[in-house]
Amino acid sequence: MQDHVTPRRVVILGGGFAGLFAARALRRSPVAVTVVDRRAHHLFQPLLYQCASGILSEGQIAQPLRAVLRRHHNVSCLLAEATDVDVEARLVHARRPDGGAVAVPYDDLIVAVGMRQSYFGQDEFAAHAPGMKTLNDALDIRRRIYRAFEMAETAADDRERQQWLTFALVGGGPTGVELAGQIREIAGHTLDREFHTIDSARARVLLFEGSDEVLGAFGPRLAQRAARTLQHLGVELHLGTMVTDIDAQGLTVRDHDGKTTRFDARTVLWTAGVEAPPIATALARATGAQQDRAGRIAVEPDLTVPGHPEIRVTGDVMSLNRLPGLAEVAMQSGAYAGRLVRHAVEGRRKQPKPFTYLDLGSAAYIARGRAVVKAGPLHLSGFTGWLAWLFIHLAFLTGFRSRLGAVLSWSISFATSSRRERAFTTPDTGAPAAGPPEPKAPPPHP
């Protein structure tokens, strides 16, 4: 009779950069890995704004998790959302898409759930100002952007027309800057001469930021260059402002002096702030771990939760040494956590070295041929920055098909200003003329 040894069970929560790199680090280890994610795809989140603006398709920035991990024979994928962790029984409780519950046992747990959009306690803003953290968000924003121009074409009067041609973005970080630049390019170049009633180039793009500069994390010099580039494109910067109200017709902001101003805008997009998902709070409650203001979990230098060496927290949801929420941090921390599990399985008892982040820099795309890149002492902007941005994003896109498709799409967009991915859907509003009633289409994702 042959004895069967149950392999060590490793559960990874999240199929983003951190989760994917953790799974890859365990590829040849004698462990059974389960990746739990409520979405069936790995998303290249830094390029969401290019999907939203019509440059790239969904398939160029999102790959099925099972396809990405198909050669990792010790890895299985579970489509479910983690809801709680029983640290005594070492079980992850999750909810399947149909509402059914499932419990996943683990010997090692790697938490890589990322962050979600935060409205700083004003969650009612979400109905009128979608964020951009998921593929659904990007497709919703694409619909809102291109629909606005269509609605302006048939507006009843000049006031309504200008409301549809005004786009407001809240948040002057990389996402806000990138999206603002893209909308100005759409208005001034992509849609040029496509409409008869409106002049798309007259669209206003308003960018609101609570601090005194955009892209503050890039340093004063690059921040100033980015601001000048945005203003040259026609983006109106409103710095030192806080949003106090948002509705279907626009938003109200307050400046440092307490003065409030109302802006009419039918399209408001939220690109400010993140917070940890509920599973992070559940894990902190179960383990006694500390959380920061955004809900990130404080970890030891080896990324373990204090008192629980079997649980490691990685990526955006970990709080360690004020590390930024960048894709590169997620990749490196995920790979580190996976390697530590592999070393433990291989019997390496040596005290692991603390996690050390190698800063490869930050990049933000502003417009065609213009980007800013910060990598240590190296500061690039303009066309040189754009070339560096191009290389960085090609290097980390998942899959040859994604890279090839992105190069082709970028080449066409750069050479002609056209965008091939402008298709969007609207909900059905009319009833059928005859026959039995059809089920109503679901409302668009807010």
Side-chain angles (χ1 to χ4, degrees):
M1 183 176 178
Q2 186 178 5
D3 293 333
H4 294 276
V5 178
T6 302
R8 187 160 172 163
R9 301 163 299 183
V10 182
V11 173
I12 300 174
L13 302 184
F17 287 117
L20 184 60
F21 274 70
R24 286 176 171 174
L26 292 164
R27 178 176 180 177
R28 294 183 176 87
S29 299
V31 297
V33 181
T34 302
V35 178
V36 182
D37 199 304
R38 64 193 183 100
R39 301 180 184 90
H41 58 261
H42 167 72
L43 179 65
F44 194 86
Q45 205 171 73
L47 289 178
L48 267 176
Y49 73 96
Q50 294 212 359
C51 178
S53 60
I55 295 178
L56 299 180
S57 69
E58 307 93 287
Q60 289 168 323
I61 65 169
Q63 294 290 311
L65 265 176
R66 294 184 184 276
V68 174
L69 299 170
R70 65 186 181 279
R71 296 180 181 176
H72 297 55
H73 301 298
N74 63 337
V75 178
S76 61
C77 299
L78 174 62
L79 184 63
E81 181 178 8
T83 57
D84 204 355
V85 179
D86 185 337
V87 295
E88 299 298 329
R90 295 197 177 185
L91 288 173
V92 171
H93 295 283
R95 182 173 56 248
R96 299 169 61 210
D98 64 355
V102 59
V104 188
Y106 68 87
D107 297 304
D108 292 278
L109 178 63
I110 298 176
V111 180
V113 292
M115 302 287 276
R116 66 179 186 176
Q117 200 72 61
S118 171
Y119 290 87
F120 306 110
Q122 304 286 344
D123 290 345
E124 66 275 12
F125 290 173
H128 305 293
M132 193 165 61
K133 301 295 288 184
T134 70
L135 197 56
N136 282 343
D137 293 338
L139 296 177
D140 181 33
I141 289 174
R142 180 197 296 177
R143 176 181 62 83
R144 290 173 184 250
I145 291 173
Y146 288 104
R147 185 189 65 171
F149 290 98
E150 298 290 344
M151 296 298 291
E153 177 77 353
T154 57
D157 52 49
D158 289 340
R159 182 173 180 272
E160 181 190 347
R161 183 173 298 111
Q162 190 55 59
Q163 287 179 346
W164 282 113
L165 288 178
T166 301
F167 301 83
L169 296 95
V170 183
T175 301
V177 166
E178 290 165 337
L179 199 51
Q182 290 302 301
I183 295 175
R184 275 304 311 158
E185 284 205 332
I186 290 169
H189 300 286
T190 303
L191 301 181
D192 186 32
R193 296 187 299 275
E194 290 195 7
F195 292 90
H196 299 293
T197 303
I198 64 171
D199 178 4
S200 63
R202 297 181 60 186
R204 297 179 65 193
V205 179
L206 318 176
L207 181 59
F208 298 91
E209 165 59 31
S211 68
D212 294 327
E213 58 186 4
V214 296
L215 297 182
F218 285 69
R221 188 173 68 170
L222 287 182
Q224 291 172 6
R225 291 182 181 178
R228 286 198 300 268
T229 301
L230 288 169
Q231 290 171 330
H232 177 75
L233 289 171
V235 176
E236 302 175 28
L237 301 182
H238 297 268
L239 306 178
T241 56
M242 302 294 292
V243 175
T244 60
D245 189 35
I246 301 177
D247 56 36
Q249 307 296 322
L251 73 168
T252 302
V253 301
R254 183 177 63 245
D255 61 21
H256 287 330
D257 297 328
K259 179 183 177 182
T260 61
T261 307
R262 170 74 182 183
F263 293 88
D264 291 335
R266 293 293 185 100
T267 305
V268 181
L269 306 176
W270 190 272
T271 59
V274 293
E275 64 183 9
I279 182 60
T281 300
L283 178 63
R285 182 174 58 248
T287 60
Q290 297 295 314
Q291 292 180 277
D292 66 10
R293 292 180 59 185
R296 300 178 185 91
I297 298 175
V299 296
E300 302 285 5
D302 63 353
L303 306 190
T304 58
V305 173
H308 292 272
E310 77 283 2
I311 302 177
R312 294 173 174 85
V313 181
T314 62
D316 294 358
V317 77
M318 74 175 182
S319 176
L320 177 69
N321 299 333
R322 297 177 179 248
L323 289 174
L326 299 175
E328 189 56 43
V329 175
M331 294 175 190
Q332 293 182 29
S333 61
Y336 173 89
R339 286 196 302 270
L340 287 195
V341 173
R342 186 181 70 214
H343 294 168
V345 172
E346 294 172 353
R348 303 187 194 184
R349 301 298 180 184
K350 186 178 179 180
Q351 183 70 20
K353 294 181 179 179
F355 172 69
T356 302
Y357 170 56
L358 177 61
D359 187 1
L360 298 180
S362 305
Y365 179 110
I366 302 175
R368 288 186 305 154
R370 285 177 272 190
V372 293
V373 175
K374 177 185 177 184
L378 183 65
H379 290 191
L380 302 174
S381 61
F383 187 74
T384 306
W386 181 80
L387 289 177
W389 174 93
L390 184 70
F391 173 79
I392 292 169
H393 285 74
L394 280 178
F396 292 113
L397 265 176
T398 303
F400 173 78
R401 175 181 175 271
S402 295
R403 294 189 183 100
L404 179 61
V407 168
L408 291 175
S409 297
W410 286 335
S411 300
I412 293 172
S413 177
F414 187 75
T416 68
S417 299
S418 65
R419 296 163 190 257
R420 300 191 301 174
E421 305 297 336
R422 286 165 47 184
F424 65 93
T425 60
T426 57
D428 295 332
T429 57
E438 297 179 358
K440 292 183 179 180
H445 182 76

